[in-house]
Amino acid sequence: MSNVPRLTALDALHRSLGATMTDFAGWDMPLRYGSERDEHNAVRTRAGLFDLSHMGEIAVIGAQAVDLLNHALVGNIGSVGVGRARYTMICREDGGILDDLIVYRLGEQEYMVVANAGNAQVVLDALTERAAGFDAEVRDDRDAYALIAVQGPESPGILKKVTDADLDGLKYYAGLPGTVAGVQALIARTGYTGEDGFELFVAPADAEKLWQALTEAGAAEGLVPCGLSCRDTLRLEAGMPLYGHELTTALTPFDAGLGRVVKFEKTSHGDDFVGHDALVAAAERAETAPPRKLVGLIAEGRRVPRAGFQVVADGKVIGEVTSGAPSPTLGKPIAIAYVDAEHAAPGTAGVGIDIRGTHEPYEVVALPFYKRQK
């Protein structure tokens, strides 16, 4: 295994823009270009441009592609129409989450599974193993795509300047092939910011041309390049889970409050998807003895909590922070945490976070912290 980080097709461009680069899941990625707060606020109020080429694309093709995916994943992929996408998960036999995924149905017998960068090989290996006995091919397409996202309220107007694709008809969690700035792309109305936006899957050789065209198209609207740092604060405000923080192999989807993604009654292979029995038991446990629940916490003071900090009440540890950061939108530090069920109701009094020995008071709130105006 090489320790040399992988570079995206836009690496030279990021450096020319003065980006601060960081190693992320084996990739050299832009952390920020200037001010994280300015980049965050641009996405909330105008638009931001992201390089997400570290994400892992895996093709699943063939007559039994849907049967394989229904067997391998917890969701019902059989009900996904051509041109639509679905958020789902892949679990171990014991119900632990291997990764959360988006599955795009590109054709009658063609699907694209998009995994998190750090889990792409794990997901590829699991799908390949689970494909045994199915008339379907699992193909590593990570080198076939660069992924550029334009996110924010101005993103539809910006993208319309460089494509004649029917963006108005493109629903959330849908994707269609089209031409953007003369480049062939899969245009998906998806994102990880809590805002309207698009993710554009293109050939790596076309990435720089597309980035430059979007930069020019968005200049009047205040579009700015954005790094991974503001992507994290944006998803945190939107209450979106991050693998390795809110989601791990130690948790089932029911532990994470995402049991809704598990579809026990599928159109095919409904009772034998990987992890089925463990997830039935997890669902029953969640009903009778709720595990710790995922909640939002808003600081009364200024100290910023981090993942791993303990949540406390009445002198006892009642939970653990999974993500924490200053919230540019709220103007206060925020955190997502798993806490004991009896302390999970919004407004629960006496809850704090142990920040280096001091119990800082926090307000318990329902997630998300931020929801965009439709």
Side-chain angles (χ1 to χ4, degrees), residues 297 313 318 339-352 362-365:
L297 297 169
I318 59 153
V339 302
D340 294 343
E342 60 266 30
H343 292 92
T348 300
V351 173
Y362 271 72
E363 179 190 358
V364 180
V365 299

Side-chain angles (χ1 to χ4, degrees), residues 8-183:
T8 78
L10 295 166
D11 184 75
L13 189 147
H14 297 317
R15 293 172 194 280
S16 75
L17 292 172
T20 300
M21 305 296 285
T22 188
D23 178 25
F24 185 82
W27 290 81
D28 219 8
M29 299 297 295
L31 187 64
R32 71 182 77 81
Y33 298 85
S35 155
E36 296 165 10
R37 179 181 294 269
D38 289 349
E39 291 172 26
H40 179 110
N41 289 334
V43 176
R44 283 279 176 260
T45 59
R46 304 186 306 278
L49 195 58
F50 296 82
D51 179 8
L52 306 179
S53 301
H54 60 313
M55 300 296 281
E57 296 87 4
I58 301 163
V60 180
I61 301 165
Q64 289 188 303
V66 66
D67 297 324
L68 163 57
L69 290 169
N70 268 345
H71 166 68
L73 312 180
V74 302
N76 181 1
I77 307 306
S79 62
V80 180
V82 174
R84 298 308 303 264
R86 178 150 303 159
Y87 176 80
T88 187
M89 294 182 185
I90 183 167
C91 291
R92 305 191 305 192
E93 280 287 2
D94 66 2
I97 302 166
L98 282 172
D99 202 12
D100 61 335
L101 312 163
I102 296 180
V103 178
Y104 296 88
R105 187 174 184 185
L106 305 182
E108 285 299 326
Q109 298 182 0
E110 183 181 1
Y111 296 81
M112 181 171 68
V113 176
V114 180
N116 285 297
N119 295 332
Q121 190 64 47
V122 170
V123 173
L124 177 66
D125 291 345
L127 287 174
T128 302
E129 183 184 321
R130 295 172 190 187
F134 290 95
D135 179 12
E137 175 195 355
V138 176
R139 186 179 71 215
D140 182 356
D141 268 2
R142 282 177 287 180
D143 291 337
Y145 293 104
L147 177 55
I148 294 172
V150 55
Q151 299 279 303
E154 299 288 347
S155 57
I158 292 167
L159 194 55
K160 280 178 184 174
K161 295 181 187 180
V162 290
T163 185
D164 57 5
D166 179 18
L167 299 185
D168 291 336
L170 188 65
K171 295 186 174 70
Y172 186 51
Y173 266 72
L176 83 167
T179 303
V180 184
V183 167

Side-chain angles (χ1 to χ4, degrees), residues 290-351:
R292 284 182 165 177
K293 292 191 172 177
L294 203 58
V295 301
L297 297 169
I298 300 178
E300 293 181 19
R302 310 301 307 170
R303 298 184 75 188
V304 179
R306 298 297 180 193
F309 285 16
Q310 293 178 334
V311 184
V312 292
D314 305 321
K316 297 191 192 74
V317 175
I318 59 153
E320 185 176 303
V321 171
T322 53
S323 297
S327 164
T329 305
L330 275 63
K332 298 176 180 178
I334 59 173
I336 298 178
Y338 282 106
V339 302
D340 294 343
E342 60 266 30
H343 292 92
T348 300
V351 173

